[in-house]
Amino acid sequence: MRAGVAVRDVTPPLGVAMSGFVARTSPATGVHDPLLVHALVVGDTALLTVDVVGLHEDDCARIRQRCALPADHVVVHATHTHGGPASMRGRLGGPVDEAWLERLISTCVEAVDAALAGAEPVEVRAGYGSDPGVARNRRRPGGPVDRTLPVVHLRRPDGSLLAGVVSYACHPVVLGADNTLLTADYPGVVRRVLAERLGGPVLFVTGCAGDANTGHTAAASISTAPAAERTFAECERVGGLVAAAALAATPSPGSAHVAAVRREVLLDLGVPDIAPGDVAAWEADSVRADPARAELLRCWAGWGRRQLAAPAARAAPWAGSVTALRWGPAVIVALPGEPFAAAAHEIRAHAGPGDTVLVAGYSDGCPGYLPPAEEYAHGGYEVEEANRYYGLAGPFAEGGSERLVAAAVPLLSRLPG
């Protein structure tokens, strides 16, 4: 196989609006660590990781279509850091710095093409690291998490590392809403530690982390008060644990097959009824609430006004795609949005023997949470409210996660090897 890698800095200017916490209204005041693009090309396929909370599916399509590789062979993945800038028009706050976003898109294309131009012979090795013990189900104690830690090494003929890939399913929200420094959160620590130890750049891919973080509830983030367990020191600790678990892996070689398959998917929205009285109630409550909750209620009210202004467009399904890549012994399944751990478990159960399977979320579009059917009875932010911050007319209807899995599983049998 032949592979190439390129790394680019896409840190925006200070003063940009940050994204990931509705309660945070302060713009970026500094840079703790750079926001990066990593492009890894293997054969005629590519994986692109970007340190943003998400990218709109239209912008992902623009990147794929402008690359020198076939558009259907390129996966654009957002690491989902909540310490980055607003990066999706109309979703998760804003406003978006349009000039920066255009530079980001161009940089992504340039990085893929540079990696392709610098391709050299490699052997792909893959395996699983140990469970770092970091992820917790953030919705209910003892709930499911994905404890697997896929690790991929691309080694030159002399044994040196061209690039590595590591994936883990845990929300990059170690830092809370009080943080106003641009940061890749714990994935940046994982990459830095592994690059130093392994001798080459390492891509971090966030798994199906819609229901997992390091142990706090989603409601705990509706506050800008500092928390002792959400600091850069804790970020270093968490990233160090994940990196150490990845270093425990012993990746093994396999076939030399390289392939990509993609399938389009339509996901229905469960559009709730909304009346002018709902908007008025949110606005009235915001006057009496503490500042952080007031910002949340104003967000809800703004969402409600937009929905009432465009009722005809509310019921349209969301159109996206699912992609599977094979790099020798490694299989990468890329899902859009924020899937839960159950999706990764189900897809991995259908993989071939000997394959190391990396199931990613946040890929080729990030429109919202995709809970499995059994989670709807539990309600909560991810099921009932997050769509308002995402700007969608409603949450994804029950069965959306299962539809994603049903689209992904047949792709595994279409991959050679």
Side-chain angles (χ1 to χ4, degrees):
M1 287 180 276
R2 294 181 65 84
V5 65
V7 183
R8 300 291 185 269
D9 190 324
V10 289
T11 307
L14 299 187
V16 297
M18 297 185 73
S19 182
F21 298 105
V22 68
R24 180 175 55 196
T25 58
S26 171
T29 59
V31 178
H32 181 271
D33 51 282
L35 305 184
L36 302 176
V37 163
H38 286 72
L40 180 56
V41 169
V42 181
D44 63 351
T45 73
L47 173 62
L48 186 73
T49 66
V50 188
D51 285 335
V52 290
V53 72
L55 287 169
H56 195 285
E57 53 275 12
D58 293 345
D59 290 327
C60 293
R62 290 171 62 197
I63 292 168
R64 299 198 315 268
Q65 290 161 3
R66 287 170 54 183
C67 292
L69 293 170
D72 285 352
H73 289 200
V74 179
V75 170
V76 183
H77 172 80
T79 61
H80 200 56
T81 175
H82 287 46
S87 53
M88 295 188 287
R89 301 176 189 88
R91 295 180 187 170
L92 301 182
V96 173
D97 183 327
E98 294 288 345
W100 168 81
L101 182 60
E102 288 303 313
R103 289 197 301 273
L104 172 70
I105 291 169
S106 297
T107 301
C108 288
V109 174
E110 187 272 328
V112 171
D113 291 352
L116 176 63
E120 56 186 290
V122 296
E123 179 183 58
V124 176
R125 305 175 188 178
Y128 294 107
S130 58
D131 174 14
V134 167
R136 302 286 185 273
N137 188 295
R138 74 182 196 175
R139 289 172 49 78
R140 46 198 171 94
V145 294
D146 182 7
R147 302 184 187 282
T148 58
L149 190 73
V151 176
V152 182
H153 291 177
L154 290 85
R155 297 280 179 182
R156 299 181 179 93
D158 64 3
S160 63
L161 186 81
L162 171 76
V165 183
V166 62
S167 178
Y168 190 55
C170 183
H171 245 79
V173 286
V174 175
L175 278 302
D178 60 310
N179 172 56
T180 59
L181 301 181
L182 294 168
T183 174
D185 208 275
Y186 83 87
V189 177
V190 176
R191 292 190 311 230
R192 187 190 75 236
V193 173
L194 290 178
E196 291 171 354
R197 292 289 301 275
L198 297 174
V202 175
L203 286 71
F204 184 91
V205 175
T206 304
C208 297
D211 52 350
N213 64 19
T214 54
H216 47 273
T217 66
S221 292
I222 307 174
S223 171
T224 55
E229 72 280 6
R230 303 184 73 176
T231 63
F232 282 106
E234 178 65 7
C235 202
E236 286 286 330
R237 188 188 74 85
V238 168
L241 288 172
V242 177
L247 289 168
T250 54
S252 302
S255 74
H257 294 292
V258 175
V261 286
R262 184 182 294 263
R263 182 174 179 178
E264 305 305 309
V265 62
L266 289 177
L267 301 177
D268 297 322
L269 300 179
V271 181
D273 292 329
I274 183 170
D278 298 320
V279 175
W282 286 325
E283 290 175 333
D285 289 345
S286 71
V287 175
R288 297 185 291 269
D290 64 82
R293 182 155 183 83
E295 191 62 33
L296 176 77
L297 292 166
R298 284 192 288 268
C299 176
W300 285 188
W303 167 84
R305 287 192 295 271
R306 291 190 296 273
Q307 301 311 309
L308 292 171
R314 298 185 70 208
W318 182 83
S321 60
V322 174
T323 305
L325 307 178
R326 176 175 288 284
W327 295 347
V331 172
I332 299 168
V333 179
L335 308 178
E338 301 204 50
F340 284 30
H345 291 315
E346 182 65 21
I347 291 169
R348 201 172 283 117
H350 288 83
D355 286 340
T356 296
V357 183
L358 187 163
V359 186
Y362 314 98
S363 300
D364 295 324
C366 194
Y369 287 90
L370 286 152
E374 62 267 19
E375 289 293 330
Y376 283 76
H378 297 282
Y381 171 78
E382 298 87 350
V383 172
E384 298 172 335
E385 298 177 337
N387 66 284
R388 299 169 191 165
Y389 188 32
Y390 263 103
L392 268 65
F396 284 103
E398 186 173 329
S401 175
E402 289 73 16
R403 189 174 295 183
L404 271 187
V405 172
V409 167
L411 299 184
L412 299 177
S413 63
R414 290 172 54 190
L415 292 172

